[in-house]
Amino acid sequence: MAQPKVEIYTKMFCGYCARAKALLDAKGVDYTEYDVTMGGPERRAMLERKPDAVTVPQIFIDDVAIGGSDDLAALDRAGKLDALLGL
């Protein structure tokens, strides 16, 4: 099973972003990170994908919005994250 495409929108000095990336790193998952600290096209792309996004990180797995760090951790605690990640 191929690993799904994982994308995460982050900002510098964001503890929640660091926590989400650490969880993905611990699972050995490759992901694409978009830094939206200064706004720009990456932030516009994030808002096009998830118009109600007001916080970072915003995490997408195979183009499905998962939510933020707490949502990612909740999926992991519920035993659902590994399946989403193809692990």
Side-chain angles (χ1 to χ4, degrees), residues 21-61:
K21 291 190 299 183
L23 177 54
L24 293 171
D25 289 340
K27 292 189 173 287
V29 173
D30 292 326
Y31 53 87
T32 303
E33 180 177 359
Y34 304 103
D35 185 336
V36 298
T37 302
M38 300 305 225
E42 289 89 1
R43 178 164 169 73
R44 284 193 296 279
M46 178 183 81
L47 291 172
E48 285 174 13
R49 296 175 81 179
K50 190 159 191 298
D52 61 338
V54 293
T55 60
V56 289
Q58 289 296 322
I59 303 158
F60 293 82
I61 299 176

Short mmCIF file of all heavy atoms in Angstrom, two decimals, residues 21-61:
data_model
loop_
_atom_site.label_atom_id
_atom_site.label_comp_id
_atom_site.label_asym_id
_atom_site.label_seq_id
_atom_site.Cartn_x
_atom_site.Cartn_y
_atom_site.Cartn_z
N LYS A 21 4.33 17.67 13.73
CA LYS A 21 5.44 17.17 12.92
C LYS A 21 6.19 16.07 13.67
O LYS A 21 6.60 15.07 13.06
CB LYS A 21 6.38 18.29 12.51
CG LYS A 21 5.75 19.26 11.52
CD LYS A 21 6.73 20.23 10.92
CE LYS A 21 7.40 21.11 11.95
NZ LYS A 21 8.31 22.10 11.36
N ALA A 22 6.35 16.23 14.99
CA ALA A 22 7.04 15.21 15.79
C ALA A 22 6.28 13.89 15.75
O ALA A 22 6.89 12.81 15.66
CB ALA A 22 7.20 15.70 17.23
N LEU A 23 4.96 13.93 15.80
CA LEU A 23 4.15 12.71 15.73
C LEU A 23 4.32 12.05 14.37
O LEU A 23 4.53 10.83 14.28
CB LEU A 23 2.67 13.03 16.01
CG LEU A 23 1.69 11.86 15.90
CD1 LEU A 23 2.10 10.69 16.78
CD2 LEU A 23 0.29 12.33 16.27
N LEU A 24 4.25 12.83 13.31
CA LEU A 24 4.45 12.28 11.97
C LEU A 24 5.86 11.73 11.81
O LEU A 24 6.06 10.64 11.25
CB LEU A 24 4.15 13.34 10.91
CG LEU A 24 2.69 13.79 10.81
CD1 LEU A 24 2.57 15.00 9.89
CD2 LEU A 24 1.78 12.66 10.36
N ASP A 25 6.85 12.46 12.33
CA ASP A 25 8.24 12.00 12.25
C ASP A 25 8.42 10.68 13.00
O ASP A 25 9.10 9.76 12.52
CB ASP A 25 9.21 13.04 12.82
CG ASP A 25 9.34 14.28 11.94
OD1 ASP A 25 9.02 14.21 10.74
OD2 ASP A 25 9.78 15.32 12.47
N ALA A 26 7.79 10.58 14.19
CA ALA A 26 7.91 9.36 15.00
C ALA A 26 7.34 8.15 14.27
O ALA A 26 7.79 7.02 14.47
CB ALA A 26 7.21 9.55 16.34
N LYS A 27 6.37 8.39 13.41
CA LYS A 27 5.76 7.31 12.64
C LYS A 27 6.50 7.05 11.33
O LYS A 27 6.13 6.17 10.57
CB LYS A 27 4.29 7.62 12.38
CG LYS A 27 3.46 7.58 13.65
CD LYS A 27 2.00 7.66 13.39
CE LYS A 27 1.20 7.45 14.64
NZ LYS A 27 1.19 6.05 15.12
N GLY A 28 7.53 7.86 11.07
CA GLY A 28 8.31 7.67 9.86
C GLY A 28 7.59 8.09 8.59
O GLY A 28 7.86 7.58 7.51
N VAL A 29 6.68 9.05 8.73
CA VAL A 29 5.85 9.49 7.61
C VAL A 29 6.50 10.67 6.90
O VAL A 29 6.92 11.63 7.55
CB VAL A 29 4.44 9.88 8.12
CG1 VAL A 29 3.61 10.49 7.02
CG2 VAL A 29 3.75 8.66 8.71
N ASP A 30 6.59 10.59 5.59
CA ASP A 30 7.04 11.73 4.79
C ASP A 30 5.88 12.70 4.63
O ASP A 30 4.74 12.28 4.45
CB ASP A 30 7.51 11.28 3.41
CG ASP A 30 8.77 10.43 3.48
OD1 ASP A 30 9.62 10.70 4.35
OD2 ASP A 30 8.91 9.52 2.65
N TYR A 31 6.18 13.98 4.69
CA TYR A 31 5.13 14.97 4.49
C TYR A 31 5.72 16.20 3.82
O TYR A 31 6.93 16.42 3.86
CB TYR A 31 4.45 15.36 5.82
CG TYR A 31 5.41 15.81 6.90
CD1 TYR A 31 5.82 17.13 7.00
CD2 TYR A 31 5.90 14.90 7.83
CE1 TYR A 31 6.70 17.53 7.99
CE2 TYR A 31 6.78 15.29 8.83
CZ TYR A 31 7.17 16.61 8.90
OH TYR A 31 8.05 17.01 9.89
N THR A 32 4.85 16.96 3.21
CA THR A 32 5.24 18.23 2.61
C THR A 32 4.79 19.33 3.56
O THR A 32 3.63 19.37 3.95
CB THR A 32 4.57 18.41 1.23
OG1 THR A 32 4.94 17.31 0.41
CG2 THR A 32 5.01 19.71 0.58
N GLU A 33 5.72 20.21 3.91
CA GLU A 33 5.41 21.30 4.83
C GLU A 33 5.36 22.62 4.07
O GLU A 33 6.23 22.90 3.25
CB GLU A 33 6.48 21.38 5.91
CG GLU A 33 6.25 22.49 6.91
CD GLU A 33 7.29 22.52 8.02
OE1 GLU A 33 8.20 21.66 8.04
OE2 GLU A 33 7.19 23.41 8.87
N TYR A 34 4.30 23.39 4.34
CA TYR A 34 4.16 24.71 3.75
C TYR A 34 4.18 25.73 4.89
O TYR A 34 3.34 25.68 5.78
CB TYR A 34 2.83 24.84 3.00
CG TYR A 34 2.63 23.80 1.93
CD1 TYR A 34 1.80 22.70 2.14
CD2 TYR A 34 3.27 23.91 0.70
CE1 TYR A 34 1.61 21.74 1.16
CE2 TYR A 34 3.09 22.95 -0.29
CZ TYR A 34 2.26 21.87 -0.05
OH TYR A 34 2.09 20.92 -1.02
N ASP A 35 5.16 26.63 4.86
CA ASP A 35 5.29 27.66 5.90
C ASP A 35 4.43 28.86 5.50
O ASP A 35 4.66 29.50 4.49
CB ASP A 35 6.75 28.07 6.03
CG ASP A 35 6.99 29.05 7.17
OD1 ASP A 35 6.05 29.77 7.57
OD2 ASP A 35 8.12 29.10 7.67
N VAL A 36 3.42 29.15 6.32
CA VAL A 36 2.50 30.26 6.03
C VAL A 36 2.73 31.43 6.99
O VAL A 36 1.87 32.29 7.14
CB VAL A 36 1.02 29.80 6.06
CG1 VAL A 36 0.78 28.76 4.98
CG2 VAL A 36 0.61 29.27 7.42
N THR A 37 3.92 31.47 7.61
CA THR A 37 4.23 32.53 8.58
C THR A 37 4.01 33.92 7.98
O THR A 37 3.44 34.80 8.61
CB THR A 37 5.69 32.41 9.07
OG1 THR A 37 5.87 31.12 9.65
CG2 THR A 37 6.01 33.48 10.09
N MET A 38 4.48 34.12 6.76
CA MET A 38 4.38 35.43 6.12
C MET A 38 3.19 35.54 5.17
O MET A 38 3.13 36.47 4.36
CB MET A 38 5.67 35.71 5.33
CG MET A 38 6.91 35.70 6.19
SD MET A 38 6.77 36.86 7.56
CE MET A 38 8.34 37.63 7.51
N GLY A 39 2.26 34.61 5.27
CA GLY A 39 1.10 34.65 4.37
C GLY A 39 1.51 34.16 3.00
O GLY A 39 2.14 33.12 2.88
N GLY A 40 1.14 34.91 1.98
CA GLY A 40 1.56 34.57 0.63
C GLY A 40 0.73 33.47 0.00
O GLY A 40 -0.35 33.11 0.49
N PRO A 41 1.24 32.92 -1.10
CA PRO A 41 0.45 31.95 -1.87
C PRO A 41 0.14 30.67 -1.10
O PRO A 41 -0.92 30.08 -1.30
CB PRO A 41 1.32 31.66 -3.10
CG PRO A 41 2.68 32.20 -2.80
CD PRO A 41 2.51 33.25 -1.74
N GLU A 42 1.05 30.26 -0.20
CA GLU A 42 0.76 29.05 0.57
C GLU A 42 -0.42 29.26 1.51
O GLU A 42 -1.26 28.39 1.65
CB GLU A 42 2.00 28.60 1.38
CG GLU A 42 3.10 28.05 0.52
CD GLU A 42 4.06 29.13 0.02
OE1 GLU A 42 3.87 30.32 0.36
OE2 GLU A 42 4.98 28.77 -0.73
N ARG A 43 -0.49 30.42 2.13
CA ARG A 43 -1.63 30.70 3.02
C ARG A 43 -2.93 30.77 2.21
O ARG A 43 -3.95 30.25 2.63
CB ARG A 43 -1.42 32.00 3.79
CG ARG A 43 -2.61 32.33 4.69
CD ARG A 43 -2.27 33.37 5.75
NE ARG A 43 -3.44 33.86 6.42
CZ ARG A 43 -4.15 33.16 7.32
NH1 ARG A 43 -3.81 31.94 7.63
NH2 ARG A 43 -5.21 33.70 7.89
N ARG A 44 -2.87 31.41 1.04
CA ARG A 44 -4.07 31.46 0.18
C ARG A 44 -4.50 30.05 -0.22
O ARG A 44 -5.69 29.73 -0.20
CB ARG A 44 -3.81 32.32 -1.05
CG ARG A 44 -3.85 33.82 -0.74
CD ARG A 44 -3.90 34.67 -1.99
NE ARG A 44 -2.71 34.54 -2.83
CZ ARG A 44 -1.57 35.18 -2.62
NH1 ARG A 44 -1.45 36.02 -1.60
NH2 ARG A 44 -0.54 35.01 -3.44
N ALA A 45 -3.54 29.20 -0.54
CA ALA A 45 -3.86 27.82 -0.92
C ALA A 45 -4.50 27.08 0.25
O ALA A 45 -5.48 26.35 0.06
CB ALA A 45 -2.60 27.09 -1.38
N MET A 46 -3.98 27.30 1.46
CA MET A 46 -4.55 26.66 2.65
C MET A 46 -6.01 27.08 2.82
O MET A 46 -6.88 26.25 3.08
CB MET A 46 -3.74 27.03 3.90
CG MET A 46 -4.29 26.46 5.19
SD MET A 46 -3.36 26.99 6.66
CE MET A 46 -4.07 28.63 6.93
N LEU A 47 -6.27 28.38 2.68
CA LEU A 47 -7.63 28.88 2.88
C LEU A 47 -8.56 28.45 1.75
O LEU A 47 -9.77 28.29 1.98
CB LEU A 47 -7.61 30.40 3.02
CG LEU A 47 -6.95 30.89 4.31
CD1 LEU A 47 -6.79 32.39 4.30
CD2 LEU A 47 -7.73 30.43 5.53
N GLU A 48 -8.04 28.25 0.55
CA GLU A 48 -8.87 27.71 -0.52
C GLU A 48 -9.27 26.28 -0.21
O GLU A 48 -10.40 25.87 -0.48
CB GLU A 48 -8.13 27.75 -1.86
CG GLU A 48 -8.05 29.14 -2.46
CD GLU A 48 -7.18 29.19 -3.71
OE1 GLU A 48 -6.82 28.13 -4.26
OE2 GLU A 48 -6.84 30.32 -4.12
N ARG A 49 -8.35 25.53 0.37
CA ARG A 49 -8.62 24.13 0.70
C ARG A 49 -9.50 24.00 1.94
O ARG A 49 -10.28 23.05 2.04
CB ARG A 49 -7.31 23.40 0.94
CG ARG A 49 -6.45 23.33 -0.31
CD ARG A 49 -5.13 22.71 -0.03
NE ARG A 49 -5.24 21.26 -0.02
CZ ARG A 49 -4.21 20.44 0.19
NH1 ARG A 49 -3.00 20.95 0.39
NH2 ARG A 49 -4.37 19.15 0.17
N LYS A 50 -9.32 24.90 2.89
CA LYS A 50 -10.09 24.84 4.15
C LYS A 50 -10.41 26.27 4.56
O LYS A 50 -9.69 26.90 5.34
CB LYS A 50 -9.28 24.13 5.23
CG LYS A 50 -10.11 23.82 6.47
CD LYS A 50 -9.49 22.71 7.26
CE LYS A 50 -10.41 22.21 8.34
NZ LYS A 50 -10.79 23.18 9.34
N PRO A 51 -11.50 26.81 4.00
CA PRO A 51 -11.83 28.23 4.18
C PRO A 51 -11.98 28.67 5.64
O PRO A 51 -11.74 29.83 5.95
CB PRO A 51 -13.15 28.39 3.44
CG PRO A 51 -13.15 27.28 2.44
CD PRO A 51 -12.43 26.15 3.09
N ASP A 52 -12.36 27.78 6.54
CA ASP A 52 -12.56 28.16 7.94
C ASP A 52 -11.29 28.00 8.78
O ASP A 52 -11.33 28.14 10.00
CB ASP A 52 -13.71 27.36 8.55
CG ASP A 52 -13.46 25.86 8.54
OD1 ASP A 52 -12.62 25.39 7.73
OD2 ASP A 52 -14.10 25.14 9.33
N ALA A 53 -10.15 27.72 8.15
CA ALA A 53 -8.90 27.52 8.88
C ALA A 53 -8.43 28.85 9.47
O ALA A 53 -8.16 29.79 8.74
CB ALA A 53 -7.84 26.95 7.96
N VAL A 54 -8.37 28.91 10.79
CA VAL A 54 -7.89 30.13 11.44
C VAL A 54 -6.61 29.88 12.24
O VAL A 54 -5.98 30.81 12.71
CB VAL A 54 -8.97 30.75 12.37
CG1 VAL A 54 -10.13 31.28 11.54
CG2 VAL A 54 -9.44 29.77 13.41
N THR A 55 -6.26 28.61 12.42
CA THR A 55 -5.07 28.26 13.18
C THR A 55 -4.19 27.33 12.36
O THR A 55 -4.63 26.76 11.37
CB THR A 55 -5.45 27.55 14.50
OG1 THR A 55 -6.16 26.34 14.19
CG2 THR A 55 -6.29 28.44 15.39
N VAL A 56 -2.94 27.19 12.80
CA VAL A 56 -2.05 26.19 12.23
C VAL A 56 -1.63 25.27 13.37
O VAL A 56 -1.70 25.67 14.52
CB VAL A 56 -0.82 26.84 11.55
CG1 VAL A 56 -1.21 27.53 10.29
CG2 VAL A 56 -0.07 27.77 12.48
N PRO A 57 -1.24 24.05 13.08
CA PRO A 57 -1.12 23.51 11.74
C PRO A 57 -2.48 23.13 11.15
O PRO A 57 -3.45 22.94 11.89
CB PRO A 57 -0.29 22.24 11.95
CG PRO A 57 -0.68 21.78 13.32
CD PRO A 57 -0.87 23.07 14.12
N GLN A 58 -2.52 23.07 9.84
CA GLN A 58 -3.63 22.46 9.11
C GLN A 58 -3.04 21.26 8.39
O GLN A 58 -2.08 21.40 7.63
CB GLN A 58 -4.28 23.43 8.13
CG GLN A 58 -5.06 24.55 8.79
CD GLN A 58 -6.26 24.03 9.58
OE1 GLN A 58 -6.94 23.10 9.18
NE2 GLN A 58 -6.50 24.66 10.73
N ILE A 59 -3.60 20.09 8.66
CA ILE A 59 -3.04 18.85 8.16
C ILE A 59 -4.01 18.21 7.17
O ILE A 59 -5.21 18.13 7.44
CB ILE A 59 -2.75 17.88 9.32
CG1 ILE A 59 -1.81 18.56 10.33
CG2 ILE A 59 -2.17 16.55 8.81
CD1 ILE A 59 -1.85 17.99 11.72
N PHE A 60 -3.46 17.79 6.04
CA PHE A 60 -4.24 17.11 5.00
C PHE A 60 -3.60 15.76 4.72
O PHE A 60 -2.38 15.67 4.57
CB PHE A 60 -4.25 17.94 3.71
CG PHE A 60 -5.00 19.23 3.82
CD1 PHE A 60 -4.40 20.34 4.38
CD2 PHE A 60 -6.31 19.33 3.37
CE1 PHE A 60 -5.09 21.55 4.49
CE2 PHE A 60 -7.00 20.53 3.48
CZ PHE A 60 -6.39 21.64 4.04
N ILE A 61 -4.43 14.72 4.66
CA ILE A 61 -3.97 13.39 4.26
C ILE A 61 -4.76 13.01 3.03
O ILE A 61 -5.99 12.93 3.07
CB ILE A 61 -4.17 12.36 5.38
CG1 ILE A 61 -3.36 12.77 6.63
CG2 ILE A 61 -3.75 10.96 4.90
CD1 ILE A 61 -3.55 11.87 7.82
#
